Amino acid sequence: AVWVLLGEGKLRLEDRVAEHIPEFGPNGKDTITVEQVLTHTSGFPRAPFAPLQWEDRDARLGRFASWRTNWEPGTCFEYHATSAHWVLAELIERAAGQDWRQFVRDRLLEPVDVEGRQGGRSRERFARDRDDGEGITERAGVGDRVDLAIEKAVLRRLEEDGTLGGLSGREL
């Protein structure tokens, strides 16, 4: 989804995240770029972020503001397992003007007719999963299936017309 927005010029790799998400900037994070978040070189790999806060936008923004970097952004790689994806989701929402899940459905999944598409759980599904005691491991399995479906959809679209949101396969 981020690559689609990059292709449309709504985001640029060199953009500072705080230009789009001012709440992200405190504690020295105002220099972090979109590219650094995408490449896991932003410097906040273990930023605290409880799963129950993921779907609460105000809580997400509050977490963004509180995070500190572990190193100077752009100088080291470490996978940002619980943080980078949510920053990217917020970037999608701000650049696209709609919920990130809906953007993924509308722009990536539906155009290539992915069967059983999920594109992220709805708020209702998230609440149901949390309330019925479904384990985090099982929820991660849903995400794995979504990731595989998105990957297949992207590859199919690239094979069909050689582009994805204005970017050619060579640029990806």
Side-chain angles (χ1 to χ4, degrees):
V2 170
W3 289 106
V4 170
L5 295 167
L6 288 166
E8 294 174 352
K10 293 180 179 175
L11 289 173
R12 295 175 312 139
L13 290 173
E14 62 273 11
D15 286 354
R16 292 180 179 190
V17 174
E19 293 172 4
H20 298 278
I21 310 170
E23 299 90 340
F24 179 80
N27 299 316
K29 297 184 310 296
D30 57 320
T31 63
I32 293 173
T33 65
V34 171
E35 180 176 24
Q36 289 167 334
V37 176
L38 285 167
T39 59
H40 299 276
T41 60
S42 317
F44 55 93
R46 291 177 289 283
F49 201 14
L52 295 178
Q53 294 177 319
W54 292 349
E55 297 287 324
D56 180 332
R57 187 171 193 213
D58 290 335
R60 278 198 317 261
L61 295 175
R63 289 319 249 158
F64 293 174
S66 71
W67 292 342
R68 299 181 186 286
T69 58
N70 296 79
W71 62 76
E72 182 181 340
T75 63
C76 185
F77 166 84
E78 185 176 335
Y79 186 65
H80 291 48
T82 62
S83 54
H85 303 87
W86 295 107
V87 174
L88 295 172
E90 186 67 26
L91 280 169
I92 293 164
E93 289 190 4
R94 303 246 178 150
Q98 70 182 115
D99 183 89
W100 67 271
R101 296 169 210 79
Q102 192 63 48
F103 183 83
V104 168
R105 283 186 204 101
D106 293 348
R107 300 294 303 281
L108 295 174
L109 300 178
E110 289 180 1
V112 293
D113 195 29
V114 174
E115 290 184 33
R117 59 190 168 268
Q118 305 228 5
R121 291 176 291 159
S122 67
R123 294 184 194 283
E124 295 79 18
R125 171 71 192 269
F126 181 81
R128 187 176 69 243
D129 288 349
R130 186 177 59 208
D131 291 343
D132 72 8
E134 184 179 320
I136 187 102
T137 303
E138 289 187 70
R139 286 198 306 265
V142 171
D144 292 342
R145 287 192 300 277
V146 171
D147 289 345
L148 182 59
I150 291 171
E151 183 177 320
K152 286 180 180 178
V154 167
L155 291 174
R156 188 167 43 246
R157 185 165 175 182
L158 284 171
E159 287 173 2
E160 289 173 2
D161 69 4
T163 67
L164 180 63
L167 296 174
S168 72
R170 293 177 198 262
E171 294 167 310
L172 296 175

